[in-house]
Amino acid sequence: MVVKTAASVLEKFSTRRENLIPMLQKVQEVEGFISPESIKLISDKLRISENEIYGVSTFYAQFRFTPPGEHSIYVCMGTACHVKGGQQILNMLEYELGIKEGQTTEDGRFDLNRVACLGCCALAPVIKIDDKIYSQMSVLKLMDVLEKYTQSVEVTDE
Amino acid sequence: MANNSKIKLTFNTREVEAPEGVTVLRAAELNDIYIPTLCSHKDLSPFGGCRLCIVEIEGMRGYPLSCSTIADDGMVVLTETEAIREIRTELVQLILSEHPSSCLICKEADECKPFTKTVRKSGVTTGCRYCPNDGQCELQDVVNYLGITELSYPVIYKEHEPERMDPFFDRDYNLCILCGRCIRMCQEVRGTSVLAFNFRGNKTRVGTAFGRNHIEAGCEFCGACINVCPTGALAEKASKWDGIPDGSVIATCPYCAIGCQLELFHKDGWFSKAVPVHDSEVNDGQACLKGRFCMGEVSHHFERARKPMARIDGYWKEQLWDEAIEKAAEKLKDLKPDEFAMLISPDCTNESLFTAQKFVRTVMQSNSIDSTARSSLGGGLPFWERMFQKPIKIQEIKKAKTILAIGLDTRFNFSIIGVEIRKAIKAGARLVTINSRRSNLAQYSHCWLQVEPATEGIMLDALVKSLFNNATDLKKELKLSGVKKEKLADALELLKGQDDLMVIVGPRIFSYTDNADLISSITELSKKDNVSIIPLYYGTNTRGAIDLGAFPEILPGAVFKGDEKTTKKLESAWKVKFPKDDGITIDKIQAGECRPKVLYLVGAVPFAQRPDCDYLIVQDIYEPDFDVDLYLPATSFLESSGTLVNMEGRVQDAPGVEKLPDSVMYGRARPDWWILSQIAKQLDVAGFDYESSDNVLDEISDLADGFPKSGRIHRKMDTLRVETVLPETVPVSAKPRKKSGFLLVMQPGGYSYRGVDITSKVEGLQILNPEEGFHLNSEDAKELGITEGEKLIVTAGDKSGTACARIEDEIPKGAIYLFKPLAFGGLKDRCDLEQLFRLETNPCPVEVKKVGV
Ligand code: SF4
Ligand code: SF4
Ligand code: SF4
Ligand code: FES
Ligand code: FES
């Protein structure tokens, strides 16, 4: 199988400015994040400055600028979760992992993100790790969950 | 707007007129009616961010924004109703809740203001110092206008780290109100797009990609963003704490031939800062880093030599002016024409250049006056004379449909040209560039012909041949320049069939030994009607030097020395017999072919070591790094008045801002024309009774066509009469060189002013330092096993030189770029490279090694 790179997927686009967002999306799809190198490639192709592209892409929450970690943590910040203390959960995670939302830990194990509503408001506050939902979180529960991920690679349903 | 018709509208109770098509805000501004604004700016597109400009308009609902509503005939606008005032107060309070504001609404503000400008290091805090207190803050104006004295919202401090790592200006985004003016300026007007809004919501901030510093982000340090910032978020380092300026004058930038019009502000008799004049014809409100940020330090640097000095019995002694003049006169007395030579910098004013050549021709009875401009005018004086005969119009660039830029990089030099090119591109123009290294224009080029170093001329020749002579066999050209056939076809596709072509030639590529192709193809292009050419050169007043005869072969009025009529005219005006000798040129002195007994350098130090002569007189703003016998302190551009001719042929005013009396601190510098006239008078030669630079200009306007009388300098486009009577020289093409190892490519430096390289005086330029060391590609650096800053030794035959390595990916592989300064003053490090600067060919094959291996 041919490994897709940012350069190879970008080739298919024309040099029209309107392609900026689709290009960013495609790059994120194949590489998992938007690297400075990809921004440079897009910049050369569309003849828009890297600074402008960065400005546009940081406006959208969907783009990330660091490589994703092994596990992606999503903290729900929807209304219900917010009321039930989602912010504290996020603060706690930021403190524990030593990163800010949108970033990846140095060992590449976790990345941390916020999302709008995971659709299970009754179980608020909620976080999602990879595809698994953890409901009615508290700081203590959070520690347990994190521990599982830091100790073993495989996480199975209990 | 081309439309000249007027409309009538009413503001509050006043009926006013305004041009059709302007916004309500602009109509008010034009009639001196104040509407508070924080985000609109007349050069920028409307943004509608601050909402302070709301008004009430009869027949419209709500409160429309005056900055984005077009004024209509018969409109009735209310700008100051109670309701509007309430909304505005609310809005400003919201802004202030996120902006340090104790200086604005502090109860002690009135008592505190007069004392905020105390000695900086007194150890006492006087007044709050969030931002420069220079009276430029529009937020302060708005707060005062609305009379806000307290805040009803909690205050938030954004906790952004102030950014001070870049040269020339600081950024404190805690003071930023997100008006977006800097961003729009950088994107819309400059076309550089260094800044953008990053993130969104309450995290929004102004910044660069990935939070890079401005050097990495491609900033040109033009300062345009600072000029429009309504707060103290962006502030110039040098003048930030100067306080409210006392006044200003409009002057011409002394650093390059664009001749930007700048407003020079002064405080307590000293220059404070330079800001481009808003609606200036030449530079259209823009400047580059040299004009914007490099004036104060060059003139005020502590090394500035402001007193006459002489070597007497081996001692370096301070002199009074009378003593110094006497000494100079004594040495210059009774010299034969070939025993004397004068070199003068093309950065001098017309008045100084004219007096200097008159001095040499009447007092010294010789033609040995040469301008160092000769060294940067590759292709020879006749070529440049012909170039100056065609109109050169900077403001035409933005109207061009097709632009061909050769060897041009406008990031830190001639950045006005870059701004105009990007304006053209925004309007749909096509840009083709020919460059051996990646330039700042590569990003915007529709086609970049990347050629082998020093073959830009060959490529241009190939383009000209196929565009105008339908040549098809270009194998030789393609091989020499290393360009692919398809790439050339792309370029031709863009250039073909266009009815106009704007050709801009960068200043660096004229200096190659083999520039025959370049010169001949530019010459051919210049004969076509629909082609405009803008050839760029270093040396601010080079056109003035040519027009006023600061060369042995040229007389005032830009006529060849042999011209009978002009010679007669000058003889009768000056009441002398005109000298007939050939004169000593800078080339002859540098090659050691002539050895004048007395050498007189007026602001020109094209030597790294003391040139060979018995007596050396230097008249400049800094003492050179080698021994001189007599030093005469000249005034800088800030301290004396004069005129300069820009590349378009405009005669522009350069009045000084500093008129400080002689004293221990300010020294005793004098204008060049004054010093030379005093020596002439000492030698009893008549015709030097000048009281002011205006007297000199009046004489110039009598003898050289196109120069105005004093007091009538109009800054309008003026094509000076240039008569090509200089015999054409045929450029010689050198043999194709064989390639082995590295190629040393030497390019002239662009930072000299008179005898010094201003990099040595301006801290910010030292940080950027675009010209120091050997520049090479990262892959080459890896192969050589060197890292940035390590020393390299470059050898060609028996000549060699050492300097540090600068690794840049813009440089093509296999080449080493080196900048040869036009003036050596202050550049102690680059003096080690003198052997390389004197290599016979440029470019030259060389060996490169890491020092110590
Ligand atoms: S200094 Fe000029 S190039 Fe740099 S950010 Fe400001 S406007 Fe843009
Ligand atoms: S830095 Fe100044 S100009 Fe730029 S957005 Fe902030 S306040 Fe406006
Ligand atoms: S472009 Fe030339 S004239 Fe204009 S500010 Fe810069 S150095 Fe001065
Ligand atoms: S708000 Fe968190 S799941 Fe809906
Ligand atoms: S000036 Fe109109 S919204 Fe700011």
Side-chain angles (χ1 to χ4, degrees):
Chain A
M1 195 191 90
V2 193
V3 185
K4 280 196 184 164
T5 60
S8 67
V9 294
L10 287 177
E11 235 160 58
K12 300 201 179 64
F13 289 91
S14 76
T15 57
R16 292 165 62 93
R17 264 185 102 103
E18 297 80 65
N19 282 334
L20 178 55
I21 301 289
M23 280 167 119
L24 287 165
Q25 282 166 333
K26 197 78 198 170
V27 167
Q28 170 132 327
E29 194 185 306
V30 297
E31 292 199 338
F33 73 112
I34 313 273
S35 66
E37 293 75 30
S38 328
I39 289 208
K40 176 117 193 33
L41 284 174
I42 300 179
S43 156
D44 279 346
K45 180 138 194 178
L46 299 186
R47 300 193 292 114
I48 306 176
S49 94
E50 294 172 53
N51 307 303
E52 232 174 304
I53 297 175
Y54 183 76
V56 171
S57 45
T58 52
F59 184 82
Y60 298 97
Q62 56 171 298
F63 297 120
R64 51 178 305 124
F65 301 91
T66 43
E70 237 169 274
H71 303 289
S72 301
I73 309 180
Y74 300 90
V75 183
C76 180
M77 286 289 159
T79 321
C81 291
H82 181 78
V83 171
K84 289 261 194 144
Q87 186 66 48
Q88 276 95 307
I89 302 287
L90 181 63
N91 290 351
M92 183 63 203
L93 276 164
E94 286 188 344
Y95 178 78
E96 265 308 302
L97 301 174
I99 52 172
K100 291 252 171 271
E101 55 119 340
Q103 296 178 335
T104 304
T105 52
E106 228 163 71
D107 59 7
R109 236 185 149 99
F110 296 104
D111 60 65
L112 183 59
N113 315 280
R114 54 196 290 162
V115 286
C117 171
L118 288 170
C120 36
C121 309
L123 304 173
V126 179
I127 70 167
K128 187 175 98 166
I129 301 187
D130 300 333
D131 288 328
K132 218 172 137 33
I133 299 271
Y134 294 89
S135 54
Q136 290 174 327
M137 292 309 289
S138 67
V139 169
L140 281 180
K141 263 175 102 175
L142 187 63
M143 303 301 280
D144 283 347
V145 173
L146 270 191
E147 197 138 305
K148 270 198 270 174
Y149 283 85
T150 29
Q151 273 166 9
S152 66
V153 189
E154 277 304 298
V155 181
T156 46
D157 280 60
E158 62 255 57
Chain B
M1 252 143 258
N3 197 339
N4 283 333
S5 48
K6 297 253 176 195
I7 52 165
K8 277 203 173 59
L9 65 167
T10 313
F11 280 103
N12 306 320
T13 52
R14 224 177 104 195
E15 191 163 311
V16 298
E17 272 193 355
E20 200 180 330
V22 299
T23 60
V24 173
L25 176 63
R26 189 85 194 112
E29 276 171 2
L30 289 172
N31 290 293
D32 288 326
I33 294 162
Y34 180 68
I35 297 179
T37 64
L38 284 172
C39 71
S40 110
H41 189 275
K42 95 172 184 25
D43 288 349
L44 308 173
S45 63
F47 176 61
C50 74
R51 316 202 82 78
L52 284 180
C53 66
I54 48 169
V55 287
E56 283 181 46
I57 298 177
E58 227 165 66
M60 280 199 201
R61 287 204 333 191
Y63 303 98
L65 298 177
S66 63
C67 69
S68 41
T69 308
I70 301 294
D72 232 340
D73 202 34
M75 243 183 198
V76 179
V77 185
L78 297 177
T79 64
E80 293 188 49
T81 64
E82 200 43 51
I84 292 181
R85 194 175 190 88
E86 229 166 75
I87 300 174
R88 282 182 186 151
T89 307
E90 205 67 13
L91 285 166
V92 172
Q93 288 204 21
L94 279 170
I95 292 174
L96 290 182
S97 72
E98 286 194 332
H99 180 103
S101 52
S102 52
C103 65
L104 298 173
I105 52 171
C106 175
K107 297 218 165 42
E108 317 283 340
D110 285 344
E111 283 87 71
C112 168
K113 285 246 163 72
F115 303 104
T116 47
K117 195 178 175 272
T118 44
V119 182
R120 230 176 288 169
K121 288 184 182 147
S122 62
V124 182
T125 312
T126 342
C128 307
R129 280 286 171 83
Y130 293 113
C131 70
N133 221 328
D134 55 4
Q136 313 259 311
C137 177
E138 292 173 42
L139 187 56
Q140 285 178 10
D141 296 345
V142 172
V143 170
N144 292 341
Y145 168 77
L146 293 171
I148 298 176
T149 49
E150 53 190 79
L151 281 186
S152 44
Y153 294 103
V155 175
I156 300 163
Y157 185 62
K158 292 189 211 156
E159 293 184 55
H160 296 307
E161 186 85 21
E163 298 176 4
R164 303 193 207 283
M165 64 290 207
D166 283 309
F168 303 121
F169 62 94
D170 292 335
R171 302 177 296 276
D172 182 351
Y173 288 118
N174 296 303
L175 297 167
C176 172
I177 56 168
L178 300 174
C179 71
R181 279 193 199 170
C182 55
I183 298 174
R184 279 173 289 149
M185 177 49 86
C186 196
Q187 293 187 353
E188 291 172 10
V189 181
R190 298 290 305 190
T192 20
S193 291
V194 173
L195 301 170
F197 281 124
N198 289 339
F199 310 105
R200 66 167 167 183
N202 61 1
K203 290 214 178 111
T204 311
R205 61 169 295 173
V206 178
T208 56
F210 301 99
R212 290 172 179 146
N213 66 30
H214 274 220
I215 300 182
E216 292 167 345
C219 175
E220 295 183 341
F221 296 98
C222 65
C225 48
I226 309 176
N227 304 347
V228 293
C229 180
T231 69
L234 306 176
E236 178 178 349
K237 285 185 207 265
S239 67
K240 156 171 197 187
W241 306 119
D242 281 359
I244 299 171
D246 295 334
S248 68
V249 297
I250 289 176
T252 306
C253 172
Y255 288 137
C256 89
I258 303 250
C260 292
Q261 296 301 294
L262 305 172
E263 189 168 2
L264 310 184
F265 290 89
H266 55 87
K267 176 86 186 172
D268 303 333
W270 285 87
F271 164 84
S272 165
K273 64 177 166 189
V275 177
V277 175
H278 222 110
D279 39 15
S280 48
E281 233 180 276
V282 183
N283 49 316
D284 203 8
Q286 296 300 317
C288 80
L289 79 171
K290 290 194 281 180
R292 178 71 173 80
F293 295 118
C294 299
M295 289 206 179
E297 276 171 286
V298 171
S299 191
H300 294 161
H301 197 271
F302 69 93
E303 283 168 7
R304 190 60 206 284
R306 298 165 181 269
K307 292 173 218 141
M309 301 288 280
R311 192 157 309 277
I312 295 165
D313 304 328
Y315 291 102
W316 191 229
K317 280 195 183 153
E318 186 177 337
Q319 302 281 296
L320 294 173
W321 267 114
D322 288 348
E323 295 169 327
I325 299 284
E326 219 167 278
K327 197 149 275 129
E330 183 194 311
K331 292 289 171 187
L332 294 172
K333 207 164 55 197
D334 303 327
L335 287 180
K336 294 204 195 71
D338 63 343
E339 290 175 333
F340 169 84
M342 178 184 284
L343 297 181
I344 187 163
S345 158
D347 298 331
C348 293
T349 58
N350 293 326
E351 290 72 10
S352 299
L353 287 164
F354 179 82
T355 314
Q357 63 82 32
K358 182 175 172 186
F359 178 88
V360 175
R361 288 183 169 128
T362 62
V363 181
M364 304 312 297
Q365 277 295 303
S366 131
N367 279 311
S368 297
I369 165 99
D370 200 14
S371 169
T372 39
R374 188 187 293 278
S375 318
S376 53
L377 297 180
L381 285 176
F383 166 74
W384 285 90
E385 266 204 331
R386 278 200 308 280
M387 284 293 113
F388 293 147
Q389 276 182 326
K390 277 199 97 178
I392 296 174
K393 290 187 188 147
I394 298 166
Q395 293 304 326
E396 290 290 310
I397 300 176
K398 63 168 169 285
K399 297 180 203 149
K401 297 271 175 333
T402 330
I403 301 175
L404 176 61
I406 307 142
L408 182 65
D409 187 306
T410 63
R411 186 168 178 200
F412 296 138
N413 258 311
F414 298 107
S415 77
I416 299 294
I417 303 282
V419 172
E420 296 300 313
I421 292 179
R422 288 184 292 254
K423 279 187 197 160
I425 293 176
K426 278 216 174 111
R430 305 263 132 187
L431 172 67
V432 175
T433 49
I434 305 179
N435 230 330
S436 59
R437 52 186 287 184
R438 192 186 160 92
S439 71
N440 71 328
L441 296 172
Q443 158 103 63
Y444 313 96
S445 307
H446 294 85
C447 177
W448 168 26
L449 296 166
Q450 187 179 8
V451 297
E452 291 290 326
T455 61
E456 289 89 348
I458 297 176
M459 194 69 246
L460 179 65
D461 187 43
L463 284 180
V464 172
K465 273 190 202 149
S466 32
L467 279 178
F468 298 100
N469 308 338
N470 295 320
T472 43
D473 179 28
L474 296 168
K475 282 205 196 71
K476 194 181 108 225
E477 284 83 354
L478 288 174
K479 184 154 176 275
L480 283 171
S481 61
V483 169
K484 293 241 162 49
K485 216 163 108 201
E486 300 74 42
K487 200 83 198 172
L488 179 68
D490 283 353
L492 286 172
E493 194 55 42
L494 290 163
L495 297 173
K496 231 179 229 153
Q498 300 293 343
D499 10 308
D500 77 77
L501 179 62
M502 172 64 74
V503 180
I504 306 170
V505 194
R508 288 174 181 168
I509 55 172
F510 287 105
S511 64
Y512 300 132
T513 322
D514 181 4
N515 56 16
D517 288 312
L518 181 71
I519 302 297
S520 61
S521 44
I522 297 179
T523 308
E524 181 159 357
L525 279 171
S526 70
K527 291 178 185 145
K528 313 273 183 242
D529 286 338
N530 54 351
V531 179
S532 316
I533 303 183
I534 299 191
L536 301 171
Y537 53 89
Y538 293 131
T540 310
N541 201 15
T542 298
R543 268 194 90 155
I546 294 180
D547 286 322
L548 295 172
F551 295 92
E553 62 267 55
I554 306 179
L555 299 180
V559 280
F560 186 48
K561 195 178 76 203
D563 188 62
E564 288 286 327
K565 208 173 107 223
T566 314
T567 314
K568 286 237 170 63
K569 184 162 112 189
L570 293 172
E571 281 184 340
S572 75
W574 294 343
K575 304 188 184 61
V576 287
K577 269 238 87 30
F578 223 83
K580 293 253 162 359
D581 63 322
D582 286 341
I584 301 174
T585 62
I586 175 176
D587 298 344
K588 285 193 194 150
I589 298 175
Q590 279 180 333
E593 283 168 28
C594 286
R595 184 186 181 282
K597 259 193 186 161
V598 178
L599 184 58
Y600 196 151
L601 304 178
V602 182
V605 186
F607 309 102
Q609 274 144 27
R610 183 185 157 109
D612 190 19
C613 63
D614 290 347
Y615 199 77
L616 179 62
I617 307 175
V618 171
Q619 173 175 319
D620 202 1
I621 57 174
Y622 289 91
E623 283 177 25
D625 297 327
F626 43 77
D627 277 354
V628 298
D629 298 300
L630 181 63
Y631 172 79
L632 305 171
T635 45
S636 75
F637 45 82
L638 293 179
E639 299 150 355
S640 61
S641 316
T643 56
L644 297 165
V645 184
N646 87 337
M647 53 194 276
E648 302 169 301
R650 293 170 201 256
V651 181
Q652 305 192 106
D653 209 359
V657 273
E658 291 179 1
K659 301 274 147 60
L660 297 163
D662 282 358
S663 67
V664 177
M665 185 172 168
Y666 308 140
R668 289 177 270 128
R670 294 284 185 274
D672 294 305
W673 58 263
W674 182 91
I675 302 173
L676 289 161
S677 326
Q678 294 305 310
I679 302 175
K681 279 196 227 166
Q682 183 76 28
L683 288 165
D684 285 326
V685 179
F688 285 89
D689 298 314
Y690 306 126
E691 298 278 322
S692 70
S693 62
D694 283 352
N695 298 155
V696 189
L697 184 59
D698 287 337
E699 183 173 337
I700 294 176
S701 80
D702 287 341
L703 294 174
D705 286 352
F707 280 88
K709 284 258 188 263
S710 62
R712 283 204 271 122
I713 305 158
H714 27 58
R715 292 167 201 280
K716 280 270 168 308
M717 187 70 184
D718 226 342
T719 312
L720 293 181
R721 186 188 63 132
V722 180
E723 266 181 29
T724 307
V725 267
L726 277 186
E728 250 182 71
T729 46
V730 186
V732 231
S733 176
K735 285 171 239 54
R737 50 173 192 277
K738 70 166 201 298
K739 264 181 83 177
S740 71
F742 281 91
L743 202 57
L744 180 71
V745 185
M746 212 130 43
Q747 302 198 311
Y751 295 91
S752 54
Y753 171 71
R754 297 188 61 126
V756 288
D757 193 285
I758 60 172
T759 320
S760 65
K761 310 296 173 223
V762 182
E763 210 188 309
L765 280 182
Q766 279 160 26
I767 300 173
L768 292 176
N769 209 347
E771 296 192 344
E772 189 75 47
F774 293 122
H775 300 241
L776 74 168
N777 185 284
S778 59
E779 285 176 42
D780 286 337
K782 214 189 251 161
E783 269 166 41
L784 290 164
I786 50 149
T787 51
E788 174 87 18
E790 279 186 304
K791 290 256 173 181
L792 280 182
I793 177 156
V794 167
T795 329
D798 55 349
K799 303 207 169 96
S800 70
T802 341
C804 59
R806 300 282 307 268
I807 300 168
E808 286 170 24
D809 280 331
E810 284 87 42
I811 305 287
K813 271 195 69 174
I816 298 251
Y817 280 69
L818 176 64
F819 288 95
K820 176 182 178 176
L822 293 173
F824 283 86
L827 288 180
K828 297 192 183 74
D829 299 342
R830 260 188 271 178
C831 295
D832 294 346
L833 298 166
E834 228 211 330
Q835 290 187 348
L836 294 182
F837 292 144
R838 288 206 249 120
L839 283 176
E840 254 145 48
T841 60
N842 175 23
C844 181
V846 289
E847 306 264 314
V848 183
K849 273 205 320 244
K850 184 171 164 177
V851 168
V853 178

